Amino acid sequence: MSPEKDNFGSSGANQLTAVDWSNERHHRCVSACLVNSVYVQERDRPKNRNGSAASLAPPWWEFFGFELIRQLIDNDDQSIFGAIFEYRVPPPYCGHKSMEKAPKYVIAFRGTLLKPDSYKRDLKLDSVVILNKLNRYSRFEIAMEAVVNVVDLGGSNLKIWLAGHSLGASIALLAGKTMASNLGIFLQAFLFNPPYISAPIEMIQNQKMKDMFRAADSCLTAILAVTMKNHGQRSASKESFAQLSAWRPSLFVNLEDPFCKGFAGYYEKREKMEEIGLKKIAKLATMNSKSSLYFCRKDSENLRLLPSAYLVTNGSSSTGSKEGRKSPCSFLKRVHGIEQWWDPYKNLPSKLYQYQ
């Protein structure tokens, strides 16, 4: 990526000169810029773009009044994969009501970077996400330790945001689920293009046919859950899922992005099943995955099993666009990129899917 893309002055959300912390679009914009700053920090590193004069990263957080507290470093390749930021409230606004929804800390995680010194580790972790084994790797352990430490630091305030893009969204999602499930602590999360690997049902363009296959897939999952789990296991799974339902992260999904559009289908499928009177089947399908049932994976965390969420969508639901056929690489960069999310004036459709 060219240095121009890393330059906040020419590529960032510099039009947002005053953040309204009660505005959800501004939340999206600021969190996306903080995530992008982690990408820029990692691209600064091998180019020796360090120091206030040479580094391109600081404007991505300083513009919004944040201070970099700590970089999160992967033990394997020494790459910067995350960062902790603290918001410095401007003196005129200290104690002001407008600051009630402002975060105290933001923990941000980048996604995959195809750089010579980091791509092997990133791609390996991408495959780990597919296999639902991210919780076994040191990058997640470092991230989880950072989240716990910041929560301890924040005390009862808990104005802590998690934010991530692509692979980083998976890390933030797993950290948020862990805090919610194990400790009952619900952190606000902004997850951009979170990976959702599933059967290619969502690529079907005919809506009626897509709904038919979705229903069949849900029924198959529910049947497997009933036949392969005993009553006690199903009751425990239902109780755990219900407890997690109070956590409502924000998922930012481009409907043309093959890597994350499955999240839209996941919630739409459940909603359709409930509408036609198959609520019990929809619930069983929502809280189970066929791969986990087939292979009895009890020590892995399936990230796509998420009871509740705010789903924010960009792009159309159509597939096979002209741009995609002409230049698949540039098309994927556009629909999967983080930069699509930091326009503060873009009014994107949002819907709450609440598990009950």
Side-chain angles (χ1 to χ4, degrees), residues 182-335:
N182 296 352
L183 300 175
I185 294 175
F186 306 107
L187 303 178
Q188 192 161 357
F190 300 86
L191 310 172
F192 301 98
N193 300 84
Y196 187 107
I197 308 302
S198 64
I201 294 174
E202 299 310 313
M203 301 302 291
I204 299 173
Q205 297 188 46
N206 184 287
Q207 189 62 46
K208 288 186 177 180
M209 186 174 292
K210 184 189 292 186
D211 289 341
M212 182 181 68
F213 276 101
R214 282 175 172 175
D217 185 66
S218 292
C219 290
L220 175 59
T221 304
I223 290 169
L224 287 172
V226 170
T227 56
M228 302 185 75
K229 284 184 174 182
N230 60 44
H231 179 73
Q233 289 174 319
R234 289 198 300 275
S235 297
S237 177
K238 183 178 180 180
E239 183 178 340
S240 175
F241 210 65
Q243 178 184 345
L244 182 60
S245 67
W247 184 52
R248 298 186 291 270
S250 295
L251 306 181
F252 298 89
V253 171
N254 189 302
L255 296 176
E256 295 181 312
D257 180 2
F259 300 119
C260 71
K261 65 183 296 183
F263 265 112
Y266 174 75
Y267 292 110
E268 290 171 5
K269 177 172 62 176
R270 185 176 77 191
E271 187 177 60
K272 290 279 187 181
M273 295 287 285
E274 291 177 354
E275 286 176 359
I276 61 176
L278 299 176
K279 190 171 183 177
K280 289 186 177 180
I281 292 176
K283 281 191 171 184
L284 274 173
T286 297
M287 67 179 69
N288 291 281
S289 71
K290 291 189 292 296
S291 61
S292 296
L293 292 168
Y294 280 137
F295 301 108
C296 300
R297 294 173 179 165
K298 297 179 181 179
D299 59 343
S300 62
E301 179 66 46
N302 194 316
L303 292 176
R304 73 178 183 85
L305 302 181
L306 191 60
S308 305
Y310 287 98
L311 183 67
V312 183
T313 55
N314 190 19
S316 68
S317 59
S318 62
T319 59
S321 70
K322 292 181 179 179
E323 182 186 347
R325 289 194 296 268
K326 288 181 179 179
S327 179
C329 185
S330 62
F331 173 74
L332 284 174
K333 283 183 179 180
R334 179 179 66 81
V335 299

Side-chain angles (χ1 to χ4, degrees), residues 44-70:
D44 275 346
R45 183 177 64 90
K47 297 178 181 178
N48 294 318
R49 295 191 316 220
N50 44 39
S52 58
S55 176
L56 296 177
W60 289 90
W61 62 80
E62 290 176 348
F63 185 83
F64 303 109
F66 286 86
E67 179 180 335
L68 176 65
I69 301 301
R70 178 189 163 197

Side-chain angles (χ1 to χ4, degrees), residues 30-268:
V30 172
S31 56
C33 286
L34 293 178
V35 170
N36 194 60
S37 79
V38 184
Y39 281 106
V40 182
Q41 288 177 69
E42 174 55 19
R43 286 193 286 263
D44 275 346
R45 183 177 64 90
K47 297 178 181 178
N48 294 318
R49 295 191 316 220
N50 44 39
S52 58
S55 176
L56 296 177
W60 289 90
W61 62 80
E62 290 176 348
F63 185 83
F64 303 109
F66 286 86
E67 179 180 335
L68 176 65
I69 301 301
R70 178 189 163 197
Q71 293 176 330
L72 302 180
I73 311 296
D74 191 301
N75 291 334
D76 186 78
D77 62 1
Q78 300 305 304
S79 67
I80 301 166
F81 73 90
I84 303 172
F85 303 95
E86 182 177 2
Y87 180 57
R88 302 297 190 183
V89 180
Y93 295 96
C94 287
H96 197 274
K97 189 175 181 180
S98 63
M99 294 292 109
E100 287 181 357
K101 292 189 177 181
K104 177 62 176 176
Y105 299 100
V106 178
I107 310 170
F109 305 98
R110 68 165 175 85
T112 302
L113 267 176
L114 299 179
K115 292 167 55 265
D117 55 346
S118 64
Y119 79 93
K120 289 183 179 179
R121 177 67 166 171
D122 286 356
L123 291 177
K124 181 177 181 179
L125 290 173
D126 286 333
S127 66
V128 163
V129 170
I130 297 173
L131 297 173
N132 299 313
K133 295 180 180 180
L134 184 61
N135 59 321
R136 305 180 190 180
Y137 282 75
S138 63
R139 184 176 293 191
F140 173 71
E141 292 173 357
I142 294 168
M144 194 66 225
E145 181 182 10
V147 172
V148 171
N149 289 340
V150 173
V151 168
D152 289 342
L153 190 64
S156 60
N157 186 19
L158 284 183
K159 288 187 175 182
I160 300 166
W161 289 5
L162 301 177
H165 173 247
S166 193
L167 171 60
S170 293
I171 294 173
L173 174 54
L174 183 53
K177 285 186 73 172
T178 302
M179 295 299 292
S181 298
N182 296 352
L183 300 175
I185 294 175
F186 306 107
L187 303 178
Q188 192 161 357
F190 300 86
L191 310 172
F192 301 98
N193 300 84
Y196 187 107
I197 308 302
S198 64
I201 294 174
E202 299 310 313
M203 301 302 291
I204 299 173
Q205 297 188 46
N206 184 287
Q207 189 62 46
K208 288 186 177 180
M209 186 174 292
K210 184 189 292 186
D211 289 341
M212 182 181 68
F213 276 101
R214 282 175 172 175
D217 185 66
S218 292
C219 290
L220 175 59
T221 304
I223 290 169
L224 287 172
V226 170
T227 56
M228 302 185 75
K229 284 184 174 182
N230 60 44
H231 179 73
Q233 289 174 319
R234 289 198 300 275
S235 297
S237 177
K238 183 178 180 180
E239 183 178 340
S240 175
F241 210 65
Q243 178 184 345
L244 182 60
S245 67
W247 184 52
R248 298 186 291 270
S250 295
L251 306 181
F252 298 89
V253 171
N254 189 302
L255 296 176
E256 295 181 312
D257 180 2
F259 300 119
C260 71
K261 65 183 296 183
F263 265 112
Y266 174 75
Y267 292 110
E268 290 171 5

